Amino acid sequence: MKEIKVILDTLEITRNEDRVALGTYQLKGEARYWWELMEATHAIATMTFDEFETLFLDKYFPMPIRLAKDQEFMNLK
């Protein structure tokens, strides 16, 4: 997701429709199949990039894992 956002920002892509289209174009393998399922079950024509990012993160980095990683980072010495 970080690389996708860098590409979008570098190319100065600001419209949500374009950000979602280019962002999802970058998906590969299992993530591509996941997105095809999302296309069939969600209103992607009106989806914002923030909504796409939330769906992606919820699928591949669920909140308990994110919180555990945050805690692990906070405990680094």
Side-chain angles (χ1 to χ4, degrees):
M1 184 57 61
K2 195 183 266 188
E3 288 180 30
I4 289 172
K5 291 171 93 173
V6 167
I7 291 168
L8 295 172
D9 292 342
T10 300
L11 295 175
E12 297 180 355
I13 307 291
T14 57
R15 286 188 34 204
N16 269 311
E17 300 88 359
D18 297 337
R19 289 179 73 81
V20 171
L22 185 57
T24 58
Y25 173 78
Q26 297 294 316
L27 299 177
K28 306 286 186 241
E30 197 276 329
R32 165 59 60 195
Y33 296 121
W34 165 80
W35 179 246
E36 289 171 0
L37 177 62
M38 292 299 102
E39 288 179 310
T41 59
H42 288 74
I44 62 162
T46 58
M47 182 179 289
T48 67
F49 187 79
D50 288 339
E51 291 168 334
F52 162 70
E53 183 176 24
T54 298
L55 282 172
F56 182 87
L57 291 175
D58 287 348
K59 169 68 176 169
Y60 291 101
F61 303 101
M63 189 55 72
I65 292 174
R66 285 186 254 170
L67 293 173
K69 287 295 182 185
D70 285 347
Q71 190 61 46
E72 182 181 323
F73 178 76
M74 297 302 277
N75 291 333
L76 286 177
K77 294 184 179 181

